[in-house]
């Protein structure tokens, strides 16, 4: 997790994609602890490397 937290429209796109995948997070454009946990859980359920980073494989799985 990066500090200060990453933020912006790219983060919002990831948040919206996670919400569409069933994750209950607040789309606030901030990549904080809640989003990190959701990304990691999504990666685990998709059998991806569960590192909390939104790289090419995770983006593809999210449909972004």
């Amino acid at each position: 997790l990066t500090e200060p937290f990453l933020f912006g429209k790219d983060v919002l796109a990831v948040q919206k994609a996670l919400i569409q995948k069933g994750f209950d997070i607040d789309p606030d454009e901030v990549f904080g602890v809640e989003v990190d946990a959701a990304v990691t859980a999504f990666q685990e359920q998709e059998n991806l490397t569960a590192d909390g980073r939104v790289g090419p494989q995770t983006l593809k799985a999210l449909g972004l």
Side-chain angles (χ1 to χ4, degrees):
L1 200 57
T2 302
E3 294 224 11
F5 297 141
L6 300 173
F7 64 93
K9 299 296 179 193
D10 291 341
V11 174
L12 182 61
V14 169
Q15 290 172 325
K16 287 182 176 181
L18 286 166
I19 290 167
Q20 289 179 344
K21 299 287 184 180
F23 290 88
D24 184 21
I25 57 173
D26 196 17
D28 60 1
E29 295 188 20
V30 178
F31 196 108
V33 176
E34 177 185 52
V35 178
D36 181 66
V39 167
T40 301
F42 173 74
Q43 290 169 326
E44 288 172 351
Q45 84 179 26
E46 295 294 315
N47 295 316
L48 301 170
T49 301
D51 58 7
R53 293 176 179 232
V54 184
Q57 296 287 330
T58 301
L59 286 171
K60 183 177 178 182
L62 285 170
L64 296 174

